[in-house]
Amino acid sequence: MGFAEQLDEMVERIIDEAIKFFMASRGWQLNMNGNYEQWPGGDGSEITPPGSPSRTSGGQVLRSGMPGYYDGFEYGAGENAGSLVYGHFETTVRELFRPWRTIPDPAAFDDYLDQVRDAAWSVSLTSAADRVSAVGNAALDTVGYLQEKIGGENMRGATIFAFDQNFCTPLPTVLHGQYAVALLAGVTLLGEKEIWAKAREDVHSIAEKMYAAMKERGSAVADLGTITALFALAAVFPTPAQPILAGVGAALPALETLLNAGDEPNKQPVEFAGGTPEKVIASAGEALKTLARTIRGCEDDITGKIKDGMDTVTRRSKSFAMPKPKLLEVVDVSGIKVDLEVLQFLATDTLPQIEQQINAGADLVYWGSMCGAAWYRPGDLGVSDTTEGPFPAWQELAALAGNLMSDLAWEVKESAAHLAIAADRHGRTEAEITESLRRHAKKLEGFAGHDPIGTATRWLNEHP
């Protein structure tokens, strides 16, 4: 049985108990005939119980077995005074929970979350002092191999030095940064899923405690757990391989606060008054309003983390994106001293492997970002100003993660092509190689891929 069906079932039980509670509070008890009768002190009038399957088919007033009249209920008078009471509680209780029947399904996030999680794993590398610190995706061990070989004693010359300084040296830092951005997208998406998972639990808890308060003619307390939704997300965000979460948050403070939460927030208690069914209904309404405010607060927190993360990326862009490779500006191969076999291997094998992993991450995060339908919530729920909630902001973050990866993959590809030209020395003069490098650099002018930093900056300026 799904969430809505379970909630509907509990709502109907609440309605039945609310009717019994109301009738008892007005002095009407079920007699041996199964009808309500005022006792003691009644005039002999009876009211038939709720009908089935429609409650309002019951509720007729009888006097000595004939149609009667009653005007003592605030919800209507006449021959069907009881029916009006039954209809009132049906409408009131159902309407109270109606918007909550179609809140987001946590399971609807799962496929998209898997894709964003896999995207983060594709570039899972952390760095320290421009060197690889740890690798989650074993295919990225090639980054350390690349640095080792390019920095070797048998690699000399302006082209090699430019490649080492302007590409190999910052590459681990940039990959670390992009891993952090992809993780922030994944963790905030997980946070959204957890909000609705906790919210569903809280809606059920409110309904169950409301039912108990109606049935026992007393009071009940529910502890709302949605406020804990963004706590300890790192523990429920495993990657396909061993996660390397330690240190990754250093690139993005917004991510660090999500991965290393402090003490779990205390759950919010809400109390249901039991003096009358109307008071119980009012208490449940306040509990649902409290839940709505809690969800809004959690989603505001997610939006804030997204904007903080994007702001960090735009302000510290060198840690997340490399400009058009300066390697392409160096076309002089005079004085170059290289191990041609190693250089050729780096250009045709090592760098393409790195490009493949980065492109895989970009593709996965793009697919994972197509999850807008999962965020939908009724407009009258009161948890957000739109039916999408923070999805537009999250989508911008996901686009930033994907665009950063696509741009870096393009740079890796073209840098590999540039190195391959420099490595192809068979039967060619230095002048011919230099001219080939110049033509390659010229061909790429104006084709530097995306502008992820500029796009993110513009969005932040438009959404302060």
mmCIF file of all heavy atoms in Angstrom, residues 17 21 207-220 272-276 280:
data_model
loop_
_atom_site.group_PDB
_atom_site.id
_atom_site.type_symbol
_atom_site.label_atom_id
_atom_site.label_comp_id
_atom_site.label_asym_id
_atom_site.label_seq_id
_atom_site.Cartn_x
_atom_site.Cartn_y
_atom_site.Cartn_z
ATOM 1 N N GLU A 17 -13.791 8.296 14.285
ATOM 2 C CA GLU A 17 -13.624 8.609 15.707
ATOM 3 C C GLU A 17 -14.035 10.037 16.025
ATOM 4 O O GLU A 17 -14.542 10.309 17.124
ATOM 5 C CB GLU A 17 -12.172 8.365 16.121
ATOM 6 C CG GLU A 17 -11.764 6.908 16.132
ATOM 7 C CD GLU A 17 -12.622 6.064 17.067
ATOM 8 O OE1 GLU A 17 -13.077 6.575 18.113
ATOM 9 O OE2 GLU A 17 -12.848 4.879 16.738
ATOM 10 N N PHE A 21 -16.664 11.040 18.799
ATOM 11 C CA PHE A 21 -16.249 12.001 19.830
ATOM 12 C C PHE A 21 -17.245 13.160 19.895
ATOM 13 O O PHE A 21 -17.697 13.563 20.975
ATOM 14 C CB PHE A 21 -14.842 12.497 19.475
ATOM 15 C CG PHE A 21 -14.139 13.276 20.552
ATOM 16 C CD1 PHE A 21 -12.845 13.751 20.322
ATOM 17 C CD2 PHE A 21 -14.728 13.557 21.771
ATOM 18 C CE1 PHE A 21 -12.161 14.472 21.293
ATOM 19 C CE2 PHE A 21 -14.053 14.283 22.760
ATOM 20 C CZ PHE A 21 -12.776 14.743 22.502
ATOM 21 N N ALA A 207 -1.084 11.991 11.798
ATOM 22 C CA ALA A 207 -2.378 11.330 11.608
ATOM 23 C C ALA A 207 -2.633 10.298 12.699
ATOM 24 O O ALA A 207 -3.749 10.198 13.237
ATOM 25 C CB ALA A 207 -2.425 10.684 10.234
ATOM 26 N N GLU A 208 -1.605 9.518 13.044
ATOM 27 C CA GLU A 208 -1.779 8.486 14.067
ATOM 28 C C GLU A 208 -2.070 9.101 15.432
ATOM 29 O O GLU A 208 -2.925 8.613 16.183
ATOM 30 C CB GLU A 208 -0.516 7.628 14.138
ATOM 31 C CG GLU A 208 -0.361 6.700 12.931
ATOM 32 C CD GLU A 208 1.023 6.096 12.852
ATOM 33 O OE1 GLU A 208 1.865 6.411 13.725
ATOM 34 O OE2 GLU A 208 1.276 5.307 11.915
ATOM 35 N N LYS A 209 -1.354 10.180 15.775
ATOM 36 C CA LYS A 209 -1.586 10.822 17.078
ATOM 37 C C LYS A 209 -2.935 11.532 17.097
ATOM 38 O O LYS A 209 -3.599 11.600 18.139
ATOM 39 C CB LYS A 209 -0.458 11.812 17.380
ATOM 40 C CG LYS A 209 0.908 11.165 17.515
ATOM 41 C CD LYS A 209 0.951 10.117 18.607
ATOM 42 C CE LYS A 209 2.340 9.527 18.770
ATOM 43 N NZ LYS A 209 2.389 8.472 19.800
ATOM 44 N N MET A 210 -3.343 12.055 15.961
ATOM 45 C CA MET A 210 -4.669 12.673 15.870
ATOM 46 C C MET A 210 -5.757 11.617 16.104
ATOM 47 O O MET A 210 -6.731 11.859 16.819
ATOM 48 C CB MET A 210 -4.831 13.324 14.503
ATOM 49 C CG MET A 210 -6.141 14.059 14.304
ATOM 50 S SD MET A 210 -6.236 14.776 12.644
ATOM 51 C CE MET A 210 -7.833 15.596 12.735
ATOM 52 N N TYR A 211 -5.563 10.460 15.507
ATOM 53 C CA TYR A 211 -6.509 9.352 15.694
ATOM 54 C C TYR A 211 -6.554 8.938 17.169
ATOM 55 O O TYR A 211 -7.637 8.741 17.739
ATOM 56 C CB TYR A 211 -6.094 8.172 14.824
ATOM 57 C CG TYR A 211 -6.878 6.912 15.081
ATOM 58 C CD1 TYR A 211 -8.192 6.784 14.648
ATOM 59 C CD2 TYR A 211 -6.295 5.844 15.777
ATOM 60 C CE1 TYR A 211 -8.917 5.623 14.888
ATOM 61 C CE2 TYR A 211 -7.015 4.679 16.012
ATOM 62 C CZ TYR A 211 -8.324 4.568 15.571
ATOM 63 O OH TYR A 211 -9.035 3.427 15.811
ATOM 64 N N ALA A 212 -5.374 8.833 17.794
ATOM 65 C CA ALA A 212 -5.327 8.436 19.201
ATOM 66 C C ALA A 212 -6.036 9.456 20.080
ATOM 67 O O ALA A 212 -6.771 9.084 21.014
ATOM 68 C CB ALA A 212 -3.875 8.274 19.646
ATOM 69 N N ALA A 213 -5.829 10.752 19.800
ATOM 70 C CA ALA A 213 -6.472 11.796 20.597
ATOM 71 C C ALA A 213 -7.986 11.759 20.424
ATOM 72 O O ALA A 213 -8.743 11.989 21.381
ATOM 73 C CB ALA A 213 -5.930 13.162 20.196
ATOM 74 N N MET A 214 -8.461 11.477 19.210
ATOM 75 C CA MET A 214 -9.911 11.359 18.986
ATOM 76 C C MET A 214 -10.466 10.137 19.714
ATOM 77 O O MET A 214 -11.508 10.210 20.382
ATOM 78 C CB MET A 214 -10.193 11.225 17.481
ATOM 79 C CG MET A 214 -9.928 12.457 16.653
ATOM 80 S SD MET A 214 -11.125 13.779 16.968
ATOM 81 C CE MET A 214 -10.692 14.904 15.616
ATOM 82 N N LYS A 215 -9.787 9.026 19.611
ATOM 83 C CA LYS A 215 -10.285 7.771 20.160
ATOM 84 C C LYS A 215 -10.290 7.771 21.682
ATOM 85 O O LYS A 215 -11.237 7.291 22.314
ATOM 86 C CB LYS A 215 -9.434 6.608 19.642
ATOM 87 C CG LYS A 215 -9.955 5.230 20.010
ATOM 88 C CD LYS A 215 -9.116 4.146 19.364
ATOM 89 C CE LYS A 215 -9.622 2.756 19.728
ATOM 90 N NZ LYS A 215 -10.985 2.511 19.206
ATOM 91 N N GLU A 216 -9.224 8.322 22.267
ATOM 92 C CA GLU A 216 -9.078 8.282 23.721
ATOM 93 C C GLU A 216 -9.689 9.493 24.398
ATOM 94 O O GLU A 216 -9.678 9.585 25.627
ATOM 95 C CB GLU A 216 -7.588 8.187 24.087
ATOM 96 C CG GLU A 216 -6.873 6.982 23.496
ATOM 97 C CD GLU A 216 -7.469 5.665 23.946
ATOM 98 O OE1 GLU A 216 -7.993 5.596 25.088
ATOM 99 O OE2 GLU A 216 -7.455 4.693 23.147
ATOM 100 N N ARG A 217 -10.211 10.416 23.597
ATOM 101 C CA ARG A 217 -10.801 11.657 24.142
ATOM 102 C C ARG A 217 -9.809 12.359 25.066
ATOM 103 O O ARG A 217 -10.175 12.943 26.079
ATOM 104 C CB ARG A 217 -12.086 11.388 24.939
ATOM 105 C CG ARG A 217 -13.044 10.397 24.312
ATOM 106 C CD ARG A 217 -13.718 10.937 23.080
ATOM 107 N NE ARG A 217 -14.848 10.094 22.708
ATOM 108 C CZ ARG A 217 -14.807 9.197 21.717
ATOM 109 N NH1 ARG A 217 -13.681 9.034 21.038
ATOM 110 N NH2 ARG A 217 -15.875 8.491 21.418
ATOM 111 N N GLY A 218 -8.542 12.251 24.680
ATOM 112 C CA GLY A 218 -7.506 12.836 25.520
ATOM 113 C C GLY A 218 -6.535 13.632 24.677
ATOM 114 O O GLY A 218 -6.913 14.284 23.712
ATOM 115 N N SER A 219 -5.253 13.562 25.019
ATOM 116 C CA SER A 219 -4.240 14.307 24.283
ATOM 117 C C SER A 219 -3.153 13.342 23.841
ATOM 118 O O SER A 219 -3.044 12.226 24.337
ATOM 119 C CB SER A 219 -3.640 15.419 25.145
ATOM 120 O OG SER A 219 -3.012 14.871 26.286
ATOM 121 N N ALA A 220 -2.353 13.791 22.895
ATOM 122 C CA ALA A 220 -1.247 12.990 22.395
ATOM 123 C C ALA A 220 -0.145 13.930 21.935
ATOM 124 O O ALA A 220 -0.386 15.106 21.661
ATOM 125 C CB ALA A 220 -1.705 12.094 21.238
ATOM 126 N N PHE A 272 -1.510 17.437 20.775
ATOM 127 C CA PHE A 272 -2.890 17.434 20.322
ATOM 128 C C PHE A 272 -3.809 17.559 21.527
ATOM 129 O O PHE A 272 -3.844 16.674 22.382
ATOM 130 C CB PHE A 272 -3.202 16.135 19.563
ATOM 131 C CG PHE A 272 -2.383 15.967 18.316
ATOM 132 C CD1 PHE A 272 -1.105 15.438 18.374
ATOM 133 C CD2 PHE A 272 -2.875 16.367 17.095
ATOM 134 C CE1 PHE A 272 -0.344 15.296 17.246
ATOM 135 C CE2 PHE A 272 -2.114 16.236 15.942
ATOM 136 C CZ PHE A 272 -0.852 15.699 16.018
ATOM 137 N N ALA A 273 -4.574 18.667 21.580
ATOM 138 C CA ALA A 273 -5.531 18.849 22.663
ATOM 139 C C ALA A 273 -6.702 17.898 22.456
ATOM 140 O O ALA A 273 -7.076 17.596 21.328
ATOM 141 C CB ALA A 273 -6.022 20.290 22.689
ATOM 142 N N GLY A 274 -7.288 17.413 23.554
ATOM 143 C CA GLY A 274 -8.332 16.412 23.428
ATOM 144 C C GLY A 274 -9.677 16.783 23.983
ATOM 145 O O GLY A 274 -10.528 15.913 24.146
ATOM 146 N N GLY A 275 -9.926 18.044 24.291
ATOM 147 C CA GLY A 275 -11.191 18.422 24.913
ATOM 148 C C GLY A 275 -12.390 18.239 24.008
ATOM 149 O O GLY A 275 -13.457 17.818 24.457
ATOM 150 N N THR A 276 -12.246 18.539 22.743
ATOM 151 C CA THR A 276 -13.313 18.382 21.756
ATOM 152 C C THR A 276 -12.681 17.924 20.457
ATOM 153 O O THR A 276 -11.477 18.136 20.224
ATOM 154 C CB THR A 276 -14.050 19.705 21.498
ATOM 155 O OG1 THR A 276 -13.148 20.634 20.879
ATOM 156 C CG2 THR A 276 -14.599 20.303 22.794
ATOM 157 N N VAL A 280 -8.939 18.952 18.637
ATOM 158 C CA VAL A 280 -7.972 17.996 18.093
ATOM 159 C C VAL A 280 -7.658 18.332 16.641
ATOM 160 O O VAL A 280 -6.499 18.312 16.215
ATOM 161 C CB VAL A 280 -8.502 16.556 18.216
ATOM 162 C CG1 VAL A 280 -7.559 15.584 17.514
ATOM 163 C CG2 VAL A 280 -8.657 16.163 19.679
#
